Amino acid sequence: MNEKTREFIDGVLTKYCCDKKEIINIIQEVQNEYNYLPEDVLVYIAKNLDVSQSKVYGVATFYENFSLDAKGKNIIKICDGTACHVRKSVPILNAVNKELGLSEKKKTTDDMMFTVETVSCLGACGLAPVMTVNGNVHPKMTPESAVELIRNIRKGSL
C-alpha cells in the first residue's frame, strides 16, 4: 500500500474513531474511493480495528455491492431485469462488450477505463432498456446509442 492510500485509509478510520461497529461504513468509503476493496487495505483495516482479517473479509464478501476485484474508472451497469430484457438489453450488452473488447469472463478493459456489469434490476423499468455509467442513468438505450456513449466517454466529452 502506498503512502497516499495509507493516508486516505487513516483518515477514514479516524473519521469513524476506529470503531468496530462502523466497519461497513469504513469499507464503503474505501470502495467509493477505489471502486473495489484492495486486499492489503482490508488487512490494514482489520489490524487498525483490532478485528480478524476474516471478520473484515466476511463483511466485504457478504454484501453484493462490495467488490474484491479491481474495476475500471467508468463502471457501466446494464440492466437485464424483465422490462429491460424484453426490450432487448442483451444486444446492448453485446455491443458494449464488442466495443470494449470484453466478454462474459473479462469484465474490465486492460487500460482500467471501463468495467461492464449486468444487474438484475436498476429500478427504472419505465425507461427500459437502461444502463448506468458511474451511477448516471441512460434511458431507452440501443446498441448504437450505447456504443456512441462509450466513444464520447473515451473522447472525454462526457
Side-chain angles (χ1 to χ4, degrees):
M1 175 183 338
N2 64 38
E3 189 60 34
K4 184 179 174 187
T5 300
R6 187 181 313 275
E7 286 177 16
F8 174 77
I9 304 302
D10 286 342
V12 173
L13 290 166
T14 300
K15 177 180 175 181
Y16 292 102
C17 303
C18 290
D19 185 347
K20 298 171 190 176
K21 295 177 198 164
E22 299 291 342
I23 189 167
I24 292 173
N25 290 324
I26 291 167
I27 61 177
Q28 192 167 24
E29 286 206 23
V30 172
Q31 168 114 355
N32 289 342
E33 180 71 14
Y34 300 105
N35 287 337
Y36 82 111
L37 300 170
E39 182 179 341
D40 59 339
V41 170
L42 293 179
V43 170
Y44 187 75
I45 290 170
K47 179 181 174 189
N48 283 281
L49 293 181
D50 195 28
V51 297
S52 68
Q53 293 176 20
S54 63
K55 170 81 174 174
V56 175
Y57 182 80
V59 171
T61 57
F62 180 80
Y63 295 99
E64 187 176 313
N65 284 336
F66 292 131
S67 175
L68 301 179
D69 298 321
K71 294 186 177 186
K73 178 181 174 187
N74 299 290
I75 299 174
I76 298 169
K77 293 183 178 180
I78 299 175
C79 183
D80 197 32
T82 303
C84 289
H85 186 82
V86 168
R87 293 185 180 156
K88 310 238 184 257
S89 62
V90 173
I92 295 168
L93 174 64
N94 292 339
V96 168
N97 279 341
K98 183 178 178 186
E99 176 69 16
L100 296 174
L102 300 176
S103 66
E104 193 171 308
K105 291 184 179 179
K106 182 181 179 189
K107 306 267 184 209
T108 301
T109 57
D110 292 334
D111 62 2
M112 299 300 290
M113 282 295 294
F114 296 95
T115 294
V116 176
E117 301 173 341
T118 56
V119 294
S120 299
C121 184
L122 288 169
C125 301
L127 305 173
V130 172
M131 65 186 263
T132 63
V133 179
N134 298 329
N136 296 315
V137 176
H138 297 273
K140 301 189 184 300
M141 297 302 290
T142 63
E144 295 78 18
S145 63
V147 168
E148 182 181 342
L149 176 63
I150 290 167
R151 289 179 180 166
N152 286 335
I153 292 170
R154 278 187 169 149
K155 285 189 237 172
S157 59
L158 281 182

